[in-house]
Amino acid sequence: MKPKIGLITLGVTDLKRSLKFYRDGLGFPTHDYKDDAGIVFFKLEGTWLALYPKDKLAEDLNLPLVKGVGGILGGVTLAHNVGTKEEVGAVVEQAVNAGAKLIKQPQDVFWGGYSGYFADPDSHLWEVAWNPFMDLT
Amino acid sequence: MKPKIGLITLGVTDLKRSLKFYRDGLGFPTHDYKDDAGIVFFKLEGTWLALYPKDKLAEDLNLPLVKGVGGILGGVTLAHNVGTKEEVGAVVEQAVNAGAKLIKQPQDVFWGGYSGYFADPDSHLWEVAWNPFMDLT
């Protein structure tokens, strides 16, 4: 796998509040933002940043939502993007062979991509994704 | 502030185990690694990655360590690096004006830099740092 984190996703409880904080407060530029999209991407130098409702993030991970926690208590995923579905499987396999725990078997996802999740030795969550709409490889 | 995350730090419980996972398992290249440094940096494309003992991270943040949690349950910080001490204060002030909670007033830190922390609306932790040894601006 290429040594790169393509995207950091922060689980948030109020998408509009967080959008306001990062876009208007810190001045981060959004990427292709739509009011009803349910997710916000910021095109940053280096790794991009995404905001996503915490309950949806838990759902995507197929993990229980731990209510009331955030920040040092949770809700962050790191993403590594690849160019094909096959590579998703290969990277997840490489991680599992290195001792990672498989969290979600690579599979087609509702937004049109293909992804899987693994957890590192401290349970930090990594998504490995093929995204035909946005090139973060 | 420039729209950039310079560094992601993962709090870990066993630095050598995590080093092995990321360096030998995933193939990430270390930056200037020394066995006794107590921290590991990976020079990635885009945002860099650091591994740091979770108890030290809690200490640096002046926050209580929540034992037994990690991953979706915690231990991640995002860093924004700037070129001067003055800019650290300016960025922290910008964030606080945007609604962030001040976690640690900008100050000289033991490793020779200068940094402060703020928490976003969901308590995700950001460090704003001036680091004279490593240019992540």
Side-chain angles (χ1 to χ4, degrees):
Chain A
M1 81 189 273
K2 186 171 162 179
K4 177 173 178 175
I5 297 165
L7 183 74
I8 299 165
T9 299
L10 302 180
V12 301
T13 53
D14 181 336
L15 199 58
K16 289 214 183 301
R17 177 181 68 173
S18 297
L19 169 66
K20 192 166 182 301
F21 177 75
Y22 284 103
R23 183 191 58 190
D24 308 334
L26 301 191
F28 286 5
T30 56
H31 171 76
D32 200 20
Y33 173 67
K34 288 181 195 72
D35 248 352
D36 59 353
I39 189 167
V40 180
F41 292 101
F42 294 100
K43 186 175 183 170
L44 305 189
E45 292 182 32
T47 298
W48 287 24
L49 179 68
L51 306 175
Y52 196 52
K54 204 176 278 187
D55 54 343
K56 299 279 183 194
L57 189 60
E59 200 177 287
D60 191 40
L61 279 155
N62 201 18
L63 284 177
L65 174 68
V66 182
K67 282 195 193 293
V69 301
I72 202 169
L73 290 173
V76 176
T77 63
L78 309 179
H80 178 77
N81 283 56
V82 292
T84 64
K85 288 188 183 190
E86 289 67 32
E87 285 170 88
V88 172
V91 170
V92 169
E93 194 182 336
Q94 178 184 359
V96 169
N97 288 341
K101 183 179 174 191
L102 181 65
I103 298 291
K104 187 183 184 183
Q105 194 75 44
Q107 57 194 261
D108 290 314
V109 273
F110 72 94
W111 48 266
Y114 182 87
S115 88
Y117 281 96
F118 66 83
D120 88 350
D122 287 277
S123 302
H124 292 297
L125 295 162
W126 282 76
E127 181 183 21
V128 184
W130 168 73
N131 181 337
F133 311 109
M134 197 163 64
D135 186 13
L136 292 172
T137 62
Chain B
M1 80 190 273
K2 187 168 160 180
K4 177 172 180 176
I5 296 166
L7 183 73
I8 299 165
T9 299
L10 301 180
V12 302
T13 53
D14 181 336
L15 198 59
K16 289 213 182 304
R17 177 182 69 172
S18 297
L19 169 67
K20 192 166 182 302
F21 177 75
Y22 284 102
R23 182 190 59 192
D24 308 335
L26 301 191
F28 286 3
T30 55
H31 170 76
D32 199 19
Y33 174 66
K34 288 182 195 72
D35 247 353
D36 59 352
I39 188 166
V40 180
F41 292 100
F42 295 100
K43 186 175 183 168
L44 306 189
E45 293 183 32
T47 298
W48 286 26
L49 179 68
L51 307 174
Y52 196 52
K54 203 175 280 186
D55 54 343
K56 299 279 182 195
L57 189 59
E59 199 177 289
D60 191 39
L61 279 155
N62 201 18
L63 284 177
L65 174 68
V66 182
K67 282 196 193 293
V69 300
I72 203 171
L73 289 175
V76 177
T77 62
L78 309 178
H80 178 77
N81 282 57
V82 291
T84 63
K85 288 189 182 188
E86 289 67 32
E87 285 170 88
V88 172
V91 169
V92 168
E93 193 181 338
Q94 178 183 1
V96 168
N97 287 340
K101 183 179 173 189
L102 181 66
I103 298 292
K104 187 182 183 183
Q105 193 74 45
Q107 55 193 261
D108 290 314
V109 275
F110 71 94
W111 48 266
Y114 183 85
S115 88
Y117 281 97
F118 66 84
D120 87 351
D122 287 279
S123 301
H124 292 299
L125 295 162
W126 283 75
E127 182 183 21
V128 184
W130 167 73
N131 182 336
F133 310 110
M134 198 163 63
D135 187 12
L136 291 171
T137 62

